Amino acid sequence: MSISIPHENVAETDGATRNASAGGEPTGGVSRRSFLATGVAIGAGATLGPLERAKAAFGAPSSETLTSGDAAILRFRAAAEILESDLWQQYNELGGIQDSEVPGGSGSRRYTKALEELDEDMPQYIHDNTQDELSHFAFINAYLESRGAEPVNLDKFRELPSSKATGAQQIGRLTNLMELTVDTSWWTRYRSSTKNPDFGDKFAPAVPDLANGSFPAIPRSDDDLKPKKHIQAIANTAGFHFGTIEQGGTSNYPQLAQRVTDLEVLRVMLSFGGVETMHFQTWQDKAGNAPALTDPTNGLTFPNLKESSDEELKANLIMPEPTVFLRNSLPIVSIVRPTNTEGIAMGVVEFLTAMGLFKGQSKGFFDALKQLASEADAAKPRG
Ligand SMILES: [Fe+2]
């Protein structure tokens, strides 16, 4: 059974609250259910039709209707949060804590043990990150509806296979964690005092091998559970992948926030972005504990970052180093980086695609995701 929060359940929960406070079913001749049925047409854009129908259903005054740009930005983030939830769910099934908050799966003992080499609380952190992402997408979709805009539903693209390892649910997935090419350049990007990606600067990866080849971040089957260094390399890959995903959210919310027009939508962007940063900082710290080793099955090598003499690699330098920001004439400063906003939604799609996260996905999936991204990127910047 899928643990993803089904689109309709989210809406029903939201609708129950709304109905209780409003004292009954929405009026206006458009049922929530029939509106929601149209809401699955992702990428249809903030066309007047659905917005008008939503206003009729919910009685929202026009001043409370989102601009098409704000709605497109929120819809892109809803899609990103759905994708994050899908990948985190796979991690939780095998290496987290399976409970009523994040149900599904039954754990893989050897994989979990290997993750615990990075920190004994890894299963708890994986569980909590998963729960956070599930709440993020459920909230954004409910929020979109509450403001008369279409929610996002990617359920029809849940067609990728699950891991065959004991502990994983056998359900369709949106993301592929078994053939990843992980860019770990964020590690040196946040340790540099002279460079900023917004100035076009490039950064060396912490684990060069992860950027050259494709590697599983979860056991693909029980055959991956040994030898010990192999399953540890898989857990190490996950450890760095966690940081790679969450540094993306750390940048993406401030990037998109610069182009929203509504104060409450800005509040959503800022409040969510900070949590992605909290995730990133946790994972950056844990990745530094990944045991140095070489996987005997494929040669994937994790360097010893703990004892690195290079300041841009040293594991404990996890606080962002002050660096250049906006203009070279200004003093260096400790900041999230990058925060450029132009074309960034499509940039995220390209980044995740290059990572191998969508290997095996259909053309329809890529088309839908790119449409959501191009609509978000068309939203006008402030000022
Ligand atoms: Fe999130």
Side-chain angles (χ1 to χ4, degrees):
M1 187 193 90
S2 167
I3 78 92
S4 65
I5 297 178
H7 171 64
E8 291 194 354
N9 288 352
V10 172
E12 281 167 6
T13 305
D14 179 52
T17 309
R18 186 195 318 283
N19 289 344
S21 61
E25 286 293 314
T27 55
V30 180
S31 76
R32 277 186 74 75
R33 188 61 68 112
S34 70
F35 167 64
L36 293 174
T38 68
V40 301
I42 57 162
T47 55
L48 198 60
L51 287 169
E52 288 303 315
R53 274 182 285 141
K55 278 163 61 182
F58 305 138
S62 60
S63 62
E64 291 182 11
T65 301
L66 292 171
T67 65
S68 60
D70 285 3
I73 285 174
L74 284 167
R75 268 204 301 278
F76 176 71
R77 277 314 313 173
E81 297 287 359
I82 289 169
L83 295 169
E84 276 193 278
S85 297
D86 182 84
L87 74 88
W88 277 110
Q89 174 60 32
Q90 295 183 63
Y91 281 127
N92 194 67
E93 289 175 19
L94 290 166
I97 295 172
Q98 305 83 35
D99 63 9
S100 60
E101 287 178 335
V102 187
S106 53
S108 166
R109 195 177 57 81
R110 282 175 194 254
Y111 179 57
T112 305
K113 214 166 150 35
L115 286 164
E116 286 170 344
E117 289 292 320
L118 279 66
D119 187 297
E120 62 182 4
D121 286 321
M122 288 292 271
Q124 185 70 54
Y125 300 153
I126 290 168
H127 168 279
D128 291 355
N129 204 138
T130 310
Q131 186 186 17
D132 289 357
E133 307 305 356
L134 289 165
S135 80
H136 280 175
F137 101 67
F139 182 94
I140 296 180
N141 265 348
Y143 182 74
L144 277 162
E145 288 188 88
S146 79
R147 299 289 307 267
E150 291 179 54
V152 174
N153 185 331
L154 301 179
D155 285 351
K156 69 176 175 181
F157 302 118
R158 293 183 190 278
E159 290 181 337
L160 295 180
S162 293
S163 161
K164 298 288 180 285
T166 304
Q169 294 189 95
Q170 293 306 306
I171 56 174
R173 312 285 184 174
L174 290 167
T175 61
N176 182 347
L177 296 178
M178 296 180 273
E179 301 174 70
L180 292 178
T181 302
V182 183
D183 178 350
T184 56
S185 62
W186 48 267
W187 185 274
T188 56
R189 185 205 312 155
Y190 273 98
R191 285 164 172 74
S192 171
S193 61
T194 57
K195 296 195 290 187
N196 181 325
D198 288 337
F199 286 58
D201 295 324
K202 302 282 181 232
F203 300 86
V207 185
D209 281 3
L210 280 178
N212 297 305
S214 80
F215 305 96
I218 51 174
R220 296 162 291 193
S221 72
D222 289 343
D223 291 344
D224 273 334
L225 300 178
K226 54 186 190 303
K228 202 172 172 190
K229 281 187 177 172
H230 177 56
I231 188 64
Q232 189 62 55
I234 292 174
N236 286 5
T237 301
F240 279 95
H241 186 235
F242 298 164
T244 302
I245 288 294
E246 300 301 318
Q247 64 79 31
T250 295
S251 279
N252 196 234
Y253 277 104
Q255 288 170 320
L256 293 173
Q258 295 168 68
R259 286 189 279 120
V260 304
T261 59
D262 180 289
L263 199 55
E264 193 174 71
V265 177
L266 179 62
R267 183 175 178 182
V268 170
M269 305 304 280
L270 297 178
S271 303
F272 280 52
V275 170
E276 306 291 347
T277 308
M278 293 162 87
H279 294 158
F280 168 51
Q281 183 66 346
T282 302
W283 297 128
Q284 177 174 206
D285 187 40
K286 303 315 163 199
N289 297 331
L293 58 78
T294 296
D295 184 334
T297 72
N298 57 16
L300 169 61
T301 296
F302 290 86
N304 187 341
L305 298 167
K306 279 202 161 165
E307 287 164 26
S308 177
S309 55
D310 184 340
E311 288 269 303
E312 292 197 351
L313 288 176
K314 208 164 174 220
N316 68 355
L317 300 183
I318 58 170
M319 300 296 172
E321 190 71 11
T323 193
V324 290
F325 183 48
L326 301 179
R327 290 175 285 286
N328 278 314
S329 55
L330 292 165
I332 60 169
V333 61
S334 184
I335 39 140
V336 165
R337 62 200 83 161
T339 51
N340 67 306
T341 189
E342 202 175 325
I344 200 56
M346 199 61 81
V348 168
V349 172
E350 286 165 7
F351 180 75
L352 297 177
T353 302
M355 182 189 288
L357 194 62
F358 307 136
K359 260 184 205 167
Q361 266 291 5
S362 62
K363 181 177 182 299
F365 170 84
F366 287 106
D367 288 348
L369 202 55
K370 284 177 185 168
Q371 188 166 353
L372 284 163
S374 66
E375 287 170 8
D377 282 335
K380 294 253 188 306
R382 287 168 157 256

